[in-house]
Amino acid sequence: AQRVTQPEKLLSVFKGAPVELKCNYSYSGSPELFWYVQYSRQRLQLLLRHISRESIKGFTADLNKGETSFHLKKPFAQEEDSAMYYCALTGSSNTGKLIFGQGTTLQVKP
Amino acid sequence: DAMVIQNPRYQVTQFGKPVTLSCSQTLNHNVMYWYQQKSSQAPKLLFHYYDKDFNNEADTPDNFQSRRPNTSFCFLDIRSPGLGDAAMYLCATSRGGGRNTEAFFGQGTRLTVV
């Protein structure tokens, strides 16, 4: 079955602390992985995708096919990083339809 | 400069009374999606249009229908809303043409069924 699992509903850290939001997936083929973010009162938007291998707002994510994971990391959290983060994948379809995890709320305390 | 616009933001409907949610886009994207998100759950795809081609997810109830009269607009029709249909409904668009395409979301319509 195709599934994305984010085990933590809430992650609370202090400003300046490292952050790791966990994401594991189950997919029989070769998926593409994404992180989407939703800041307070804003729409869901793309943060980064694994194929780009980029760092966005200091966040990075590495696809580990052996562990079927795509954890999101940032070495030093900022208060403005507080948001809901969703891990998602697309499968073999070319239509870009997304399978989402349940989301993790990141709370960065001052 | 909103690119994907959903109306209304909040919709209250009566049990069993048909309701329509609307979505428009200024991006000229090929693909439009409707996701349902219940409280504390992952957004779940209901269906999508690739241009005029409609694609229903296997587990989407028959109670949910969609129309796309042109590139810019897409509607979600719930024929007989039940209490279990109360949720946030998210519209999204993408250029299509690949698995890595970014999706652009509207702000959602929160549906309440009374």
Side-chain angles (χ1 to χ4, degrees):
Chain A
Q2 304 170 21
R3 187 182 297 123
V4 177
T5 303
Q6 294 179 248
E8 303 140 327
K9 291 191 77 171
L10 172 66
L11 183 63
S12 185
V13 302
F14 285 102
K15 176 183 173 182
V19 169
E20 182 178 49
L21 289 87
K22 296 191 187 319
C23 172
N24 289 91
Y25 66 90
S26 173
Y27 187 77
S28 57
S30 183
E32 300 296 333
L33 275 296
F34 304 81
W35 278 97
Y36 279 80
V37 61
Q38 187 168 25
Y39 300 102
S40 179
R41 297 189 185 87
Q42 294 187 28
R43 62 193 69 210
L44 198 56
Q45 60 188 288
L46 178 67
L47 179 62
L48 56 80
R49 54 192 127 188
H50 100 265
I51 196 168
S52 301
R53 300 186 186 279
E54 57 199 346
S55 173
I56 303 292
K57 299 185 178 183
F59 284 98
T60 59
D62 291 318
L63 179 62
N64 186 321
K65 293 186 178 180
E67 296 183 358
T68 59
S69 68
F70 189 57
H71 303 327
L72 184 68
K73 300 177 184 179
K74 184 169 183 177
F76 307 104
Q78 303 298 315
E79 289 182 67
E80 55 265 29
D81 297 328
S82 296
M84 176 71 97
Y85 291 80
Y86 291 94
C87 183
L89 67 81
T90 59
S92 57
S93 165
N94 275 335
T95 58
K97 58 182 187 178
L98 291 159
I99 298 169
F100 283 94
Q102 289 183 301
T104 298
T105 299
L106 175 63
Q107 184 183 74
V108 182
K109 297 178 284 189
Chain B
D1 62 338
M3 297 175 288
V4 182
I5 303 165
Q6 292 187 243
N7 282 305
R9 293 286 307 279
Y10 302 91
Q11 175 74 57
V12 180
T13 191
Q14 291 180 335
F15 183 96
K17 184 175 180 181
V19 66
T20 294
L21 310 182
S22 73
C23 177
S24 63
Q25 56 136 336
T26 59
L27 297 164
N28 205 35
H29 280 170
N30 299 97
V31 192
M32 294 188 78
Y33 313 83
W34 280 105
Y35 289 86
Q36 179 193 60
Q37 185 177 23
K38 296 187 177 180
S39 181
S40 300
Q41 296 185 23
K44 180 177 174 300
L45 184 66
L46 294 173
F47 26 59
H48 71 277
Y49 275 94
Y50 199 124
D51 294 324
K52 294 183 179 179
D53 293 333
F54 176 71
N55 297 272
N56 202 28
E57 293 301 298
D59 55 355
T60 298
D62 293 340
N63 198 24
F64 290 83
Q65 307 280 313
S66 186
R67 296 171 282 136
R68 189 179 185 185
N70 53 52
T71 301
S72 301
F73 286 87
C74 195
F75 301 98
L76 169 61
D77 300 310
I78 309 177
R79 292 193 296 189
S80 181
L83 297 179
D85 297 326
M88 175 71 85
Y89 290 88
L90 299 171
C91 174
T93 73
S94 78
R95 287 193 188 89
R99 299 188 298 152
N100 293 301
T101 307
E102 178 179 357
F104 292 81
F105 285 83
Q107 290 198 295
T109 295
R110 183 167 296 283
L111 179 68
T112 301
V113 182
V114 298

